[in-house]
Amino acid sequence: MCGIAGFWKPQGLEDKAEEHLKSMISVQHHRGPDGQGQKIDTQAGLALGHARLTIVDLHTGAQPLCAADKDLDLVVNGELYDYKRIRSHLLTQGENFVTKSDSEIILPLFRHHGLEMMKHLRGEFAFALFDRKNDRLILARDRFGIRPLFFHISDKGLYFGSEAKVVLAHPDVPKRLCRKAALNQLMHTMVPGTSAFEGIHAVMPGHLVIVQRRGDQLEVTQKKYWDLEFPEEGQHSCTDESTAVELVREKLIEAVVHRLEADVPVGCYLSGGIDSCSILGMASGAMQSPVKAFTISFDSADYDESVIAREMAQATNADQDLIHLKGDELYGDNFIRTVWHAERTFYNTLGVAKWCMSRHVRDAGYKTVITGEGSDELFGGYPAFKRDMFLHGLSHLPDSERREYEEQLQRSNKIFRGAILSETAQSDPAWDSLCGFTPSWNQSWIATLGIARPLLSREAQDELNGYDPVSAIVEQIDPAMVRGRHPLDIAQYTWSKTMLEGQILNWGGDRVDMANSMESRPAFLDHHVAEAAMTIPPTLRIKGNIEKYVLREAMKGVLPEVLYKREKFAFMAPPAHTDESKTQKLNELCDRYLDSDSIRQAGLLDDKAVGSFIKGYREDKDPTSLVRKDALLNHLLCLQILHRQYIDGETPSSN
């Protein structure tokens, strides 16, 4: 795990190219504190940089890497699994290696297969490969977007890095928050392929960005090499339940075993859900010694899952390490630092909690953990997926039975209403046109839009006149991937192309983990697991009222009964309105960043509208309304903090 950086300027490198590259590398020191490497190629106009976190090949894996014939240069962030088998195979074909790292396999694979090499890569990765023979630079990102990669292109050249702040560190790149992105973030969404900053793009998951030199100019094209492609409705091949259960079990065990491969100790994140508990169970079976399991405990009984996590730790003889977080740790400086690393807004302080957790893990001497992200996306775990299944995927059931399912869903997710589950049905014409219905996961945020848009400044509203943030997202969804699909598959696909990459793998994953030089490995997002899950019919993913049914059956032998039978419970931090100490800490942030002077200086929001919103929030007593307003208030704070940090240059306090 590392951070990469670089720029390509066909018109020639500036005199301070080395200094600028060093700035891009150093700003992501948290991604790679164990070493820095760089290459300046004046003739090609190329600069490549690397910040290294040593996990595999602790001694000889320094980057940038260069092919023996000098025609390829490479910088990589992430992990490539099954690399030892691939190395051995390549050795029989006459290839030689100068390191023991997993990253080096990309060079001979590219020589043998060209861009088709992507089908041979397994893991979570982002890389930049310079191909001198064809005078092109290739940016690649893993299939789900687990590892980040951003770029900016102008008449002067191409600039790229593992984080937006890396790209912004080059003086040629303008620093401006994007107002379209600001509106999308206020309603908790991001348009795929974008960032919070004007002109800085995210490489799409499962895509290559191919940058070709044409004289002294650069031409950019994108190529999709993989997608979460569900079969058309009724064409799922793994229809036998026992076969499906065994398939899931086999692929998950394989994925976990691969992610235990490292030259440093590997631990596990452990909450009270079946996802992380399943990971711990499989890891414990594969390890020769007790697995280190890290658990977050909250000071709210409604949100705390540590009791169930403790039961799982005891069942597997894991060495559990519990971190207890209180309100003052979820706000204040930790909140501000998390915004700096996330580079986008967030609706819940779960990201702050995970930032605290990754710091704790690193202090405990661990550089890497296996996590449970991706299970809900693949096996239908979220409450919104169940709602879409009930409403659109079980048309054969009597209305009374579907209503009973819906009522039970609302009761069991009562504290999340207004956020992850809308209390009333919302419909959007763009979604209806694409999917045949508006996916439930987006309905709460559509409801938020009406509250959010009036909070923008008059200048921002004028600029965004006619801009529809919902349609902007829908336009980035490939219609071929939803056409003819089952409603559950459509819900899972659209969520995975938007919220998985933009939220869960961002401020809930890589960005807050790597903030403390700690690598997370989500085993469920192994693409072999995903491809197996897509063959399983929706009625085995959600069977009756049981979400993730096939996963539960596959993991039945390792899960305590309480977990095996437990309904999905969203892992979230307690919102600010749930107790006075959190409210006080939130108010302190509001006083610092949402005062009239700060709002007017940033120019994104309207100070009077925000003041009125905060007043209404403080007077509100309705639980559902408060959940929605609490989320929106977090977004408002994050926007202002982003402006203060990235535009005004305020540096967050050190860890």
Side-chain angles (χ1 to χ4, degrees):
M1 175 58 64
C2 307
I4 64 175
F7 45 93
W8 188 21
K9 307 181 76 170
Q11 299 173 17
L13 294 177
E14 65 272 28
D15 293 338
K16 294 185 177 181
E18 184 174 356
E19 177 184 331
H20 294 159
L21 182 61
K22 286 181 178 178
S23 296
M24 297 172 77
I25 299 170
S26 63
V27 78
Q28 58 181 330
H29 177 76
H30 52 278
R31 297 192 71 89
D34 297 334
Q36 295 186 357
Q38 64 180 53
K39 180 174 183 177
I40 301 289
D41 186 333
T42 304
Q43 183 177 356
L46 177 73
L48 294 177
H50 191 260
R52 189 176 186 216
L53 178 66
T54 53
I55 291 177
V56 172
D57 185 9
L58 306 184
H59 305 293
T60 67
Q63 297 187 34
L65 295 166
C66 182
D69 58 8
K70 309 298 183 183
D71 282 338
L72 299 173
D73 291 298
L74 175 71
V75 283
V76 184
N77 165 34
E79 301 296 343
L80 299 171
Y81 304 114
D82 201 22
Y83 72 96
K84 292 180 179 178
R85 180 189 61 81
I86 295 173
R87 281 172 60 100
S88 298
H89 181 71
L90 289 166
L91 283 168
T92 66
Q93 296 180 310
E95 295 289 348
N96 293 308
F97 294 89
V98 298
T99 78
K100 293 293 185 180
S101 78
D102 53 318
S103 298
E104 194 179 356
I105 64 171
I106 292 174
L107 296 172
L109 284 175
F110 181 75
R111 252 194 315 271
H112 283 269
H113 304 287
L115 298 181
E116 292 300 309
M117 70 173 172
M118 301 307 296
K119 68 177 64 174
H120 298 279
L121 300 182
R122 180 177 191 171
E124 45 265 4
F125 54 81
F127 64 81
L129 176 68
F130 187 63
D131 175 9
R132 278 184 174 75
K133 285 183 179 178
N134 294 293
D135 212 9
R136 61 181 175 173
L137 180 71
I138 299 160
L139 303 179
R141 196 172 179 201
D142 66 64
R143 293 165 178 83
F144 286 100
I146 299 166
R147 300 299 165 226
L149 184 57
F150 296 91
F151 69 97
H152 170 79
I153 189 161
S154 69
D155 291 340
K156 296 180 179 180
L158 175 89
Y159 311 80
F160 66 89
S162 290
E163 299 182 3
K165 63 175 67 68
V166 177
V167 183
L168 290 167
H170 195 288
D172 286 351
V173 180
K175 297 176 177 62
R176 183 173 186 256
L177 289 176
C178 176
R179 284 173 170 163
K180 289 182 179 179
L183 181 56
N184 276 99
Q185 289 172 96
L186 290 179
M187 60 171 291
H188 191 57
T189 58
M190 287 288 279
V191 177
T194 68
S195 76
F197 303 93
E198 193 79 53
I200 296 185
H201 312 281
V203 177
M204 301 272 275
H207 279 68
L208 304 172
V209 172
I210 303 167
V211 188
Q212 182 73 55
R213 187 203 299 262
R214 304 290 185 195
D216 61 355
Q217 297 297 313
L218 298 176
E219 178 183 283
V220 177
T221 58
Q222 294 191 60
K223 176 183 174 63
K224 181 167 68 172
Y225 68 86
W226 189 88
D227 207 346
L228 192 65
E229 187 171 358
F230 288 94
E232 292 190 3
E233 187 166 5
Q235 300 302 309
H236 299 82
S237 58
C238 193
T239 56
D240 177 71
E241 182 175 317
S242 60
T243 302
V245 168
E246 185 53 41
L247 176 64
V248 170
R249 183 184 295 125
E250 174 190 343
K251 295 300 182 183
L252 273 175
I253 290 172
E254 182 181 287
V256 170
V257 170
H258 277 307
R259 281 156 182 79
L260 289 169
E261 176 72 35
D263 294 330
V264 296
V266 179
C268 288
Y269 274 163
L270 176 65
S271 69
I274 68 171
D275 311 328
S276 62
C277 289
S278 297
I279 295 296
L280 178 61
M282 290 180 284
S284 296
M287 296 283 281
Q288 300 300 314
S289 57
V291 178
K292 189 78 167 180
F294 298 94
T295 300
I296 295 174
S297 170
F298 293 119
D299 59 352
S300 171
D302 288 341
Y303 292 84
D304 185 36
E305 297 184 302
S306 62
V307 174
I308 298 175
R310 187 179 303 114
E311 184 170 338
M312 183 66 197
Q314 292 171 349
T316 57
N317 194 34
D319 177 13
Q320 189 181 26
D321 191 333
L322 187 70
I323 175 174
H324 184 71
L325 297 177
K326 298 181 179 180
D328 59 350
E329 295 170 284
L330 297 177
Y331 295 94
D333 287 344
N334 290 346
F335 188 102
I336 295 166
R337 280 193 289 264
T338 301
V339 176
W340 165 258
H341 287 288
E343 299 177 339
R344 63 149 294 176
T345 70
F346 43 81
Y347 81 102
N348 181 262
T349 54
L350 170 62
V352 186
K354 292 200 69 179
W355 180 89
C356 295
M357 172 61 94
S358 68
R359 179 180 60 178
H360 180 82
V361 171
R362 198 65 169 86
D363 289 345
Y366 280 73
K367 290 184 177 182
T368 186
V369 295
I370 309 178
T371 71
E373 284 90 358
S375 168
D376 293 306
E377 283 73 14
L378 297 178
F379 297 103
Y382 292 119
F385 294 165
K386 289 178 74 173
R387 173 184 271 180
D388 287 339
M389 186 69 162
F390 299 156
L391 293 178
H392 310 292
L394 296 175
S395 57
H396 64 283
L397 289 181
D399 288 345
S400 59
E401 190 170 346
R402 284 192 286 168
R403 280 196 301 272
E404 183 180 342
Y405 283 160
E406 168 72 10
E407 290 170 0
Q408 181 178 336
L409 184 67
Q410 289 286 354
R411 287 194 300 271
S412 59
N413 289 275
K414 184 178 179 180
I415 64 174
F416 303 122
R417 291 176 64 187
I420 65 173
L421 198 63
S422 177
E423 72 280 15
T424 57
Q426 301 286 327
S427 180
D428 180 85
W431 279 118
D432 289 347
S433 177
L434 177 71
C435 303
F437 63 97
T438 298
S440 292
W441 64 260
N442 200 33
Q443 292 186 22
S444 283
W445 313 119
I446 291 173
T448 304
L449 181 59
I451 308 172
R453 193 186 286 268
L455 299 177
L456 293 174
S457 67
R458 175 51 54 190
E459 183 182 4
Q461 290 194 51
D462 289 344
E463 181 180 322
L464 299 181
N465 184 32
Y467 174 69
D468 182 352
V470 180
S471 294
I473 296 169
V474 175
E475 289 168 4
Q476 295 302 312
I477 304 296
D478 185 351
M481 294 293 102
V482 298
R483 190 180 300 122
R485 267 58 174 198
H486 187 277
L488 179 60
D489 294 346
I490 292 173
Q492 291 181 211
Y493 180 83
T494 54
W495 167 279
S496 296
K497 304 308 290 187
T498 52
M499 307 303 281
L500 173 63
E501 185 264 349
Q503 168 191 293
I504 291 171
L505 299 177
N506 179 294
W507 57 261
D510 174 275
R511 312 306 290 283
V512 290
D513 289 328
M514 285 301 290
N516 291 297
S517 310
M518 202 282 300
E519 175 187 273
S520 52
R521 298 176 169 186
F524 282 100
L525 293 180
D526 185 291
H527 75 280
H528 292 267
V529 176
E531 289 169 355
M534 287 185 288
T535 69
I536 297 170
T539 51
L540 288 180
R541 281 176 264 141
I542 298 179
K543 186 173 184 179
N545 197 27
I546 304 174
E547 75 280 358
K548 295 189 284 194
Y549 173 79
V550 67
L551 175 63
R552 291 173 189 270
E553 294 304 307
M555 296 292 105
K556 189 175 182 179
V558 301
L559 295 175
E561 185 176 6
V562 64
L563 269 169
Y564 169 71
K565 294 182 177 180
R566 189 187 188 215
E567 185 177 4
K568 164 69 181 180
F569 184 84
F571 183 49
M572 290 171 57
H577 69 267
T578 55
D579 71 58
E580 292 183 5
S581 65
K582 294 182 183 65
T583 300
Q584 179 183 344
K585 289 295 180 180
L586 181 70
N587 287 339
E588 291 173 4
L589 284 173
C590 290
D591 291 342
R592 181 174 174 181
Y593 291 101
L594 291 177
D595 63 287
S596 293
D597 288 344
S598 296
I599 289 175
R600 285 195 292 267
Q601 181 178 345
L604 289 169
L605 305 172
D606 182 273
D607 61 314
K608 292 182 179 178
V610 171
S612 178
F613 170 78
I614 294 175
K615 182 176 182 294
Y617 167 79
R618 289 169 175 168
E619 294 173 351
D620 202 340
K621 303 299 180 185
D622 178 73
T624 299
S625 175
L626 277 169
V627 167
R628 179 167 288 123
K629 290 178 180 177
D630 198 306
L632 184 51
L633 186 52
N634 283 331
H635 287 305
L636 293 170
L637 276 169
C638 291
L639 274 180
Q640 286 294 112
I641 294 170
L642 283 171
H643 186 276
R644 190 83 64 86
Q645 293 174 339
Y646 286 96
I647 311 305
D648 292 344
E650 179 180 277
T651 303
S653 59
S654 64
N655 293 2

